[in-house]
Amino acid sequence: MAPNPAHTALWPAPHASEAVDATVHVPGSKSVTNRALVLAALASEPGWLRRPLRSRDTLLMADALRAMGVEIEETVSSSSTGGAGNPDRAGEAWRVLPDGLRGPATVDVGNAGTVMRFLPPLAALADGPVRFDGDPRSYERPLHGVIDALRVLGARIDDDGRGTLPLTVHGSGALDGGPVEIDASSSSQFVSALLLSGPRFNQGVEVRHTGSSLPSMPHIRMTVDMLRAVGAQVDTPESGGEPNVWRVTPGALLGRDLTIEPDLSNAQPFLAAALVTGGRVLIPDWPARTTQPGDRLREIFTEMGGSCELADYGLVFTGSGSIHGIDVDLGDVGELTPGIAAVAALADSPSTLRGVAHLRLHETDRLAALTKEINELGGDVTETADGLHIRPRRLHGGIFHTYDDHRMATAGAIIGLAVEGVQIENVATTAKTMPDFPELWTGMLGA
């Protein structure tokens, strides 16, 4: 079969000839959108998602839920212009009408971690079998935490002993639930997957993490906050419970009218542009309180040489014209690593990024990919046991490969601002979470 032209095309990364000064409307959060879809599908009444993200991952989630019997109506108000000029599609809303979960069904997870991990627990509640399949890379991503836990909780799953896709969940219409131990050190999504469906299990669920450090804790806090917002009772370590134990009480979930926050992790390349060019970028509607990991960018990029002001209308980030190296533990915010590594490669001093060994199991092995691609542009990056050490060097142009990873593509674009002649392979992979990225990026630069 011939390769997809979008996967082999090269996109000349725009080079910034002057400091950026732009307002960028960042689309909605993927993490919030997909959790909201799951909770709405499990609710006892209809709900609304306003300003949801429309990207490959969220459309895969919506289509998967439809295949399992959930009705999702999409509407766009006549006042919404859509397109790159209004990328957050302010007038768009999805109405979710839960009507029982049914099989037989087939679910395409693509390479979306949230889809492949959050939906098998729902499938165990369905009346009939649900088969899960996806992109070739999805076969390499760990699912054992969810599969083994669901079996302990009473589910029947066929995966030929692989602990990965493809697999079939034989739904029986209900699941006993109860206590379960899992090692979620490779992905916090194992915990979130069980918590999200826990209210619908007959005994609820008690999830006990037994492994080493647990990555991406902000994402678990996001899950807990969103569960509580729809009426679930959740006990957590932060609320006085046992360390590494989360309990969800069985009960009905409410339908909600939820407006999705901008995706703060997807704001990263635009904030980085202000830092790299010594410019200024406004991200409207940045929330004053959020569980999104991307909120940590305010602290990290300020330490690397910028300054920020959070106001009612949004976040204004300003670069100083200098970029400083950083020594930082990114264990809770690993998805920010590619963008931080790109900025660090342009800094005036070395950086050490720690706590992100689990990135070797993401859309690609992000540590190996960042090392290879930055070094092939003349950089000096070495992998450590749990991260990267980056010594800034004068970089040159060349092809920046993305490995079908959206955050690799945006990392290459950041470097291209300061280095002429960088070409991004398959920039279209950004559609996983930000379909309008090329237009937003060139628009920021006034092109």
Side-chain angles (χ1 to χ4, degrees):
M1 187 170 73
N4 185 332
H7 290 193
T8 55
L10 298 179
W11 182 65
H15 181 259
S17 57
E18 57 186 9
V20 301
D21 186 0
T23 296
V24 181
H25 291 268
V26 176
S29 165
K30 176 200 75 173
S31 298
V32 175
T33 299
N34 273 358
R35 282 166 173 78
L37 282 169
V38 169
L39 292 172
L42 292 170
S44 57
E45 57 192 355
W48 287 90
L49 277 66
R50 302 190 187 277
R51 299 171 67 178
L53 174 67
R54 279 186 66 90
S55 71
R56 187 184 187 215
D57 279 17
T58 60
L59 294 176
L60 284 167
M61 180 67 85
D63 286 345
L65 292 171
R66 288 186 178 109
M68 294 165 62
V70 179
E71 186 176 349
I72 301 174
E73 300 175 349
E74 302 183 33
T75 63
V76 180
S77 71
S78 59
S79 61
S80 177
T81 59
N86 186 17
D88 65 344
R89 310 172 80 98
E92 183 159 4
W94 294 352
R95 188 172 188 233
V96 182
L97 301 156
D99 186 29
L101 298 167
R102 299 186 294 275
T106 299
V107 168
D108 175 12
V109 310
N111 191 18
T114 51
V115 182
M116 70 179 73
R117 292 166 181 150
F118 291 178
L119 290 191
L122 270 74
L125 298 169
D127 184 11
V130 181
R131 176 173 171 77
F132 292 84
D133 207 340
D135 296 353
R137 171 63 180 173
S138 72
Y139 291 12
E140 303 171 30
R141 301 186 68 181
L143 273 179
H144 55 85
V146 173
I147 294 170
D148 295 346
L150 286 174
R151 285 179 173 142
V152 169
L153 297 174
R156 182 161 71 92
I157 301 174
D158 292 337
D159 69 334
D160 294 331
R162 292 182 304 271
T164 62
L165 292 171
L167 59 87
T168 298
V169 179
H170 295 274
S172 59
L175 196 67
D176 289 340
V180 66
E181 295 184 349
I182 63 171
D183 180 354
S185 53
S186 61
S187 176
S188 69
Q189 289 176 351
F190 295 165
V191 174
S192 288
L194 297 171
L195 298 184
L196 286 166
S197 292
R200 289 285 305 275
F201 300 164
N202 293 337
Q203 303 172 41
V205 71
E206 176 188 286
V207 181
R208 185 179 299 269
H209 167 60
T210 60
S212 55
S213 62
L214 187 58
S216 304
M217 278 297 296
H219 279 127
I220 296 179
R221 287 192 284 272
M222 176 187 292
T223 297
V224 169
D225 280 2
M226 294 184 68
L227 275 162
R228 287 172 173 163
V230 294
Q233 181 179 329
V234 189
D235 297 322
T236 71
E238 294 86 355
S239 61
E242 295 179 60
N244 292 324
V245 177
W246 293 261
R247 294 183 181 90
V248 180
T249 301
L253 298 180
L254 307 173
R256 275 202 65 193
D257 190 324
L258 176 67
T259 299
I260 307 296
E261 299 174 353
D263 193 314
L264 306 188
S265 295
N266 276 345
Q268 181 182 37
F270 305 101
L271 301 182
L275 191 56
V276 168
T277 68
R280 172 189 173 278
V281 168
L282 164 63
I283 308 293
D285 303 318
W286 193 287
R289 178 190 174 278
T290 181
T291 52
Q292 288 193 59
D295 194 44
R296 180 109 181 268
L297 288 167
R298 293 190 288 148
E299 168 198 338
I300 294 170
F301 277 172
T302 295
E303 188 174 341
M304 296 186 79
S307 62
C308 64
E309 176 190 358
L310 182 58
D312 290 343
Y313 52 81
L315 180 76
V316 177
F317 189 84
T318 306
S320 64
S322 298
I323 307 171
H324 311 310
I326 192 171
D327 186 329
V328 62
D329 187 330
L330 299 175
D332 277 353
V333 293
E335 65 195 52
L336 304 180
T337 302
I340 293 169
V343 173
L346 304 170
D348 57 16
S349 57
S351 294
T352 300
L353 312 184
R354 295 178 282 106
V356 288
H358 61 285
L359 294 191
R360 296 186 169 99
L361 301 171
H362 275 219
E363 280 83 345
T364 187
D365 178 342
R366 284 179 171 165
L367 300 184
L370 287 164
T371 299
K372 178 177 182 294
E373 297 310 312
I374 295 174
N375 286 350
E376 289 195 352
L377 299 183
D380 184 359
V381 181
T382 54
E383 282 193 62
T384 64
D386 72 337
L388 300 172
H389 187 63
I390 302 168
R391 303 171 190 83
R393 296 285 187 270
R394 184 177 180 84
L395 303 181
H396 55 71
I399 296 174
F400 195 94
H401 299 92
T402 61
Y403 310 89
D404 292 326
D405 186 336
H406 56 131
R407 301 209 191 277
M408 286 297 296
T410 53
I414 292 168
I415 292 174
L417 289 173
V419 180
E420 292 192 71
V422 174
Q423 298 184 82
I424 311 297
E425 174 215 42
N426 186 18
V427 74
T429 195
T430 54
K432 178 179 172 67
T433 58
M434 194 162 35
D436 295 312
F437 174 74
E439 292 84 359
L440 287 169
W441 195 247
T442 54
M444 173 192 68
L445 296 171

